Every structure is written in C-alpha cells, then in structure tokens.
Amino acid sequence: MNILQVTAELGLPDCWVCAGFVRNKVWNHLHGRGREPMNDIDVVYYDTSYTDEETEKKIELQLLQSVPHVPWSVKNQARMHEVNGDEPYASTADAISKFPETATSVAVRMNDSQALQLLAPWGIKGLVNLEVRPTPQFKEMPPGYTVYEKRIQEKGWNKKWPMVKVFSRGGTVND
C-alpha cells in the first residue's frame, strides 16, 4: 500500500503501478507464499508534455528518496511506442494492452479517495487462473511472438510458480 500511496502522491497523469508488481503478488498469494523482493516496481504514466527519458529518471530519484531500496522503474507511455516500434499509444491503458502477456497487462493505483483501481485491458482471468498467454499484438505478429517466446524462456515463471501454465500462440500449454 505504501508503494501505491507514494506513487499517487506524485500526481502524474494516468499513473499506475503495473506488471510484475501486480502479477507476482497475485501468484505468490495463490502459491501460499508471503512477500518476496521485487525485481522492480514498474510505474507507468501518460504525459505528452515531457517525453524525454531524463524526466523519468528524475521521477525515479524522487521515488527513491521517498522509499529507498526499492528498484523503481518509471516509464512515460507517451514515448514508449518509439522504443517498442508501435504506433503512438493513446493512454496508459492502451500501452498496457500492448504488453507481451495478458497476465502482465494488469495495473493498480490508489485514487484521490484512497480507493484502489484496477486496470486490466485483457481482464484478470489469466492472472488469477495462473495462465500466461500472449496478448493479441504478440500472438498475431511474428516479431512479437518471438519476443513473447523469448520472455517466457528468460522469465521462467512456471519454474518459480509451479502451478503457472504457459500457453503458446496456438493455445497449447508449454511445460
């Protein structure tokens, strides 16, 4: 909750904490595990006014001053289409919908009323059912599917979380 509070206090437009922050917490819970250290805390926002990477690094430093020893990663989704070779994204939700896996395309934030909001362009069924599937962009485009396959091999999610089922482009389960 502290991560979400500190992130909300930044006041960044269309700002969310996403990817492994949400996925890992859900999968750890479903595997009966407690808290584990995070590889990074992915903070994403959408601001067309300042799209340079330097601004993101300044925000990371600000977060690090608020919560030290947390591996912050801040990305403005208004510029990430250039990095990813996509058409410009219309919002953070649009950008998250183009993440490689549906179980990773999930974000959370604390709103002004201190309530949690969930953003899940592809739903949460795969996340809570411990399923890793490619998003449509990574399922339908050959270069994207290669990226999906490489991430699956590198991440080793079904080794860390043995109940996780990893699906191929054709919908079959990979062991």
Side-chain angles (χ1 to χ4, degrees), residues 13 21 28 33 58 61 87 94 108 145 152 166 169 173:
F21 178 81
N28 281 341
R33 298 181 184 167
K58 288 178 184 176
L61 285 174
E87 293 295 316
D94 183 33
V108 65
Y145 192 70
I152 295 304
V166 176
R169 179 172 72 174
V173 178

Side-chain angles (χ1 to χ4, degrees), residues 29-123:
H29 174 76
L30 294 173
H31 278 80
R33 298 181 184 167
R35 293 182 184 195
E36 293 184 1
M38 299 293 296
N39 294 343
D40 61 3
I41 307 292
D42 293 302
V43 177
V44 293
Y45 67 101
Y46 191 86
D47 185 357
T48 57
S49 302
Y50 303 99
T51 57
D52 58 292
E53 190 174 1
E54 184 178 311
T55 300
E56 297 166 1
K57 296 302 178 195
K58 288 178 184 176
I59 296 167
E60 285 177 6
L61 285 174
Q62 186 178 352
L63 287 166
L64 195 56
Q65 289 172 351
S66 296
V67 184
H69 311 300
V70 171
W72 296 100
S73 174
V74 177
K75 299 289 187 255
N76 182 354
Q77 300 306 296
R79 79 168 186 88
M80 291 307 294
H81 69 282
E82 296 170 359
V83 174
N84 297 331
D86 294 334
E87 293 295 316
Y89 304 136
S91 64
T92 301
D94 183 33
I96 288 173
S97 76
K98 294 177 175 70
F99 283 6
E101 311 87 24
T102 57
T104 303
S105 300
V106 179
V108 65
R109 71 177 171 191
M110 187 177 292
N111 68 17
D112 294 338
S113 302
Q114 305 295 305
L116 297 182
Q117 290 182 299
L118 185 67
L119 173 62
W122 304 112

